[in-house]
Amino acid sequence: MTVRYITTPIYYLNGEPHLGHVYTTIAGDVLARYWRLAGAEVKFLTGTDEHGQKVAQAAEVAGESPKEYTDKLSKLFLEMTKKIKASQDVFMRTTETRHHEAAQALWKKLEDAGQIYKSTYAGWYAVRDEAYYDEGEIVEGKAPTGAPVEWMEESSYFFRLSAWERPLLDYYEANPQAIAPVGRRNEVLSFIKGGLRDLSISRTKFTWGVPILSDPEHVMYVWIDALTNYITALGYSKVEGEAFQTFWPEVIHLMGKDILRFHAVYWPAFLMAAGLRPPKRIFAHGWWTHDGEKMSKSLGNVVDPFKLIDTFGLDSVRYFLMREIPFGQDGDYSDAAMIQRINSDLANDLGNLVQRVLSFIYKNAEAQIPHPDQLLGEDREMLAKAAHLHDILRDDMEAQALQVYCQHIWEVIGDANRYVDAQKPWSLKKSENPQDQIRMKTVLYVLTEVIRHVAIYIQPLMPDAASRILDQLNQEDRSFEALKIPLKSGVSLMEPQPIFPRVESDK
Ligand code: MSP
């Protein structure tokens, strides 16, 4: 049985959901939906990161207690997942009791293994990044990320990260697929090779965190708390728990490139130190800019994902985000690029194919899936292209090559449009020759079968549009398995409705 555990980062509750959050969550959802349709056992996790100084400060600014504030904001993030139709199995909040218990259990494991000691931290800290920085990393008084830093001295527990330099390198050498894309992997390796220092993992300046049971003056550093959510969701610390046994370490952690280091250095080190296996796959995606500029509140150019969805529709937004840039690289959002994608890929290529074939059948072929007669070479070729998608798309998804997944489907859509133009079913219809009427039905059958394949494979990307096409085709079984059985003739079609209207550029 194929098993896939897919995670997004848990999002800080210091503001409303933005395009970055929506992007990773949709990518995770596409993977989760794909693997479910492929028959895998899937768990898809997302949620909110609710502790730490950054969230505590945001609550203070809002004039609310951290509890009130996080309860309110977490709801917004949960609503966001509904708005984008994310199909998570678990929505984790780090303020939940089960999570406190899991984080404390992991801490105890590390303590018992002699991986934690008490000392004093003296150094720089950036609340915005919730990260410690060495003197050497400070650039013109700021963190390398541009975040403001403050000098901090406090009593702190440390994790013996330095001891895990070699084991981490060994692990990544033996498992070259563990970090992707490959450029990011190299960055992580050179960071580790540069030398790892022990990591401060507790704070005493504030109380909004998971308490350390053996020393209640301390709360956990928010990153050790947050990373643990990935195993809380599997029922840790009850390691015998079925979910943990099934899903760990068969995980795909998705995240933006800015937080790769936490996932690819700290997290596997914590796990190995606690006697657990490191994650199988860590995938860092790129960042979106807007009209070529970095998005920021102060520039006022932040793309509001809710507005995008209200303007262009959810399916279009999901498709655009997956199709526009190679997953793993940076990319730019602009309304013009969005409109271009909708009009060319969705309205012209896919929408027209479906609309012209299905309306033609509806009007000229008894409104039911036609019976094919003898298949010619070009028919077989067309059908084979659709059938090959099965293996090709699986490889794409194994590699999290989400853009390539779209491209491969659209190649077949292009072939199908060329096939319609070459076979000209409308001319066959007008012919007096009864052979042409039979040929027309074969052509329409081939096209309907190709459309069924396409509709089934776009389900992870555009669940609503796919389901409307499959409704029109009157298909019940929508799993990939269903494609192993040839399309049945004689099934009545529903009256075709346009699926992807064109968008005018004044939107
Ligand atoms: N709470 C931590 C994650 C803990 S995971 C154990 C966190 N949260 S966050 O809300 O600040 O960031 C969430 C994600 O949004 C990150 O993966 C980040 O890369 C992503 N993005 C933020 N802005 C982005 C863009 N402009 N474009 C794409 N992704 C971006 O970090």
Side-chain angles (χ1 to χ4, degrees):
M1 178 87 181
T2 310
V3 166
R4 288 289 180 282
Y5 179 34
I6 296 147
T7 72
T8 75
I10 46 171
Y11 305 117
Y12 284 131
L13 294 183
N14 66 323
E16 296 190 0
H18 58 59
L19 189 66
H21 303 128
V22 161
Y23 181 50
T24 330
T25 315
I26 291 176
D29 187 56
V30 171
L31 289 168
R33 285 174 185 267
Y34 173 87
W35 287 111
R36 287 191 200 108
L37 288 164
E41 188 170 352
V42 172
K43 200 178 274 289
F44 175 30
L45 167 70
T46 188
T48 45
D49 189 352
E50 309 198 0
H51 294 128
Q53 209 170 351
K54 170 160 155 157
V55 174
Q57 282 179 358
E60 203 177 310
V61 170
E64 288 168 31
S65 74
K67 169 89 177 85
E68 281 171 334
Y69 181 74
T70 50
D71 281 348
K72 189 179 73 189
L73 260 82
S74 187
K75 275 207 194 89
L76 279 182
F77 278 77
L78 182 61
E79 274 162 29
M80 173 272 277
T81 67
K82 293 187 178 144
K83 177 111 185 174
I84 61 177
K85 298 223 163 122
S87 62
Q88 71 269 7
D89 301 288
V90 185
F91 186 91
M92 176 65 60
R93 297 187 58 190
T94 53
T95 44
E96 290 174 48
T97 310
R98 62 172 168 163
H99 175 68
H100 279 223
E101 287 170 0
Q104 286 162 341
L106 183 71
W107 183 283
K108 178 138 195 325
K109 262 268 162 67
L110 296 172
E111 216 169 31
D112 292 348
Q115 298 288 334
I116 292 179
Y117 63 91
K118 196 172 185 179
S119 181
T120 306
Y121 178 80
W124 297 101
Y125 193 80
V127 175
R128 196 172 90 189
D129 303 341
E130 292 283 21
Y132 304 94
Y133 290 104
D134 294 341
E135 189 63 54
E137 291 178 285
I138 302 301
V139 190
E140 292 170 5
K142 289 196 165 166
T145 56
V149 289
E150 55 192 90
W151 183 257
M152 214 171 66
E153 280 189 41
E154 62 182 335
S155 161
S156 176
Y157 285 93
F158 283 79
F159 169 68
R160 295 188 194 282
L161 183 62
S162 56
W164 293 94
E165 212 172 291
R166 196 64 255 165
L168 281 170
L169 291 173
D170 290 346
Y171 174 69
Y172 288 132
E173 237 157 67
N175 299 278
Q177 303 295 327
I179 305 173
V182 69
R184 299 276 164 225
R185 172 176 186 268
N186 295 337
E187 279 172 27
V188 170
L189 292 184
S190 59
F191 175 76
I192 301 173
K193 285 178 187 152
L196 297 179
R197 305 215 306 192
D198 290 350
L199 179 71
S200 162
I201 51 167
S202 76
R203 305 284 320 267
T204 47
K205 289 262 159 72
F206 59 92
T207 53
W208 185 239
V210 179
I212 288 166
L213 293 176
S214 55
D215 193 345
E217 297 284 290
H218 292 249
V219 293
M220 280 181 210
Y221 168 43
V222 68
W223 270 102
I224 186 169
D225 156 0
L227 289 161
T228 308
N229 102 90
Y230 297 135
I231 55 176
T232 307
L234 300 181
Y236 186 80
S237 65
K238 297 167 200 69
V239 179
E240 311 78 34
E242 224 174 88
F244 193 90
Q245 294 296 348
T246 308
F247 290 103
W248 198 260
E250 294 303 319
V251 66
I252 305 162
H253 287 312
L254 301 177
M255 80 226 48
K257 59 184 183 178
D258 54 315
I259 54 172
L260 173 60
R261 186 182 296 185
F262 300 93
H263 284 82
V265 181
Y266 302 168
W267 178 228
F270 295 150
L271 288 164
M272 290 195 274
L276 300 170
R277 279 180 293 170
K280 264 253 173 89
R281 178 93 164 161
I282 300 172
F283 192 106
H285 64 66
W287 271 49
W288 286 92
T289 51
H290 182 192
D291 291 329
E293 285 193 73
K294 195 175 147 75
M295 279 184 254
S296 81
K297 277 187 198 151
S298 51
L299 285 175
N301 67 345
V302 175
V303 176
D304 177 350
F306 297 107
K307 253 198 216 138
L308 275 196
I309 293 168
D310 291 342
T311 310
F312 298 109
L314 174 62
D315 280 329
S316 304
V317 171
R318 288 175 61 112
Y319 174 73
F320 175 85
L321 294 176
M322 298 300 106
R323 171 62 184 84
E324 189 65 7
I325 57 175
F327 197 53
Q329 287 174 35
D330 294 338
D332 187 51
Y333 175 82
S334 69
D335 287 345
M338 170 75 88
I339 291 169
Q340 164 72 17
R341 280 274 164 230
I342 294 176
N343 287 344
S344 86
D345 299 14
L346 300 182
N348 273 359
D349 299 345
L350 176 56
N352 274 347
L353 173 69
V354 174
Q355 183 65 17
R356 62 181 174 157
V357 171
L358 299 193
S359 335
F360 191 83
I361 298 178
Y362 199 78
K363 291 195 203 115
N364 303 306
E366 294 113 41
Q368 44 175 259
I369 300 176
H371 289 272
D373 190 56
Q374 207 187 353
L375 293 178
L376 306 182
E378 52 265 46
D379 306 331
R380 289 215 188 82
E381 205 181 307
M382 185 67 249
L383 289 171
K385 280 180 179 150
H388 283 156
L389 281 176
H390 182 271
D391 294 348
I392 296 173
L393 295 178
R394 193 177 173 105
D395 290 346
D396 295 340
M397 282 306 198
E398 286 290 16
Q400 295 85 44
L402 298 168
Q403 183 196 45
V404 186
Y405 182 91
C406 303
Q407 286 166 334
H408 280 141
I409 298 175
W410 259 257
E411 276 169 24
V412 171
I413 293 171
D415 290 332
N417 275 316
R418 281 183 289 277
Y419 175 90
V420 187
D421 294 341
Q423 301 302 325
K424 300 193 177 41
W426 49 88
S427 310
L428 295 168
K429 174 76 197 167
K430 285 187 207 130
S431 158
E432 310 268 294
N433 181 347
Q435 280 309 315
D436 284 343
Q437 299 306 314
I438 295 174
R439 175 70 194 145
M440 174 192 83
K441 292 206 171 164
T442 305
V443 166
L444 293 173
Y445 175 86
V446 169
L447 284 164
T448 313
E449 177 63 315
V450 173
I451 291 172
R452 179 175 72 123
H453 277 71
V454 166
I456 284 184
Y457 288 125
I458 62 170
Q459 291 178 99
L461 299 165
M462 295 183 280
D464 290 342
S467 121
R468 273 183 284 141
I469 299 172
L470 291 162
D471 285 349
Q472 292 183 17
L473 291 175
N474 212 345
Q475 298 298 304
E476 250 169 55
D477 189 349
R478 298 168 179 200
S479 70
F480 301 155
E481 194 66 20
L483 294 171
K484 290 197 177 143
I485 302 160
L487 178 66
K488 258 185 38 210
S489 304
V491 175
S492 302
L493 297 187
M494 305 290 158
E495 187 172 0
Q497 304 290 338
I499 308 279
F500 298 110
R502 287 181 66 84
V503 177
E504 299 311 323
S505 53
D506 60 358
K507 277 225 176 174

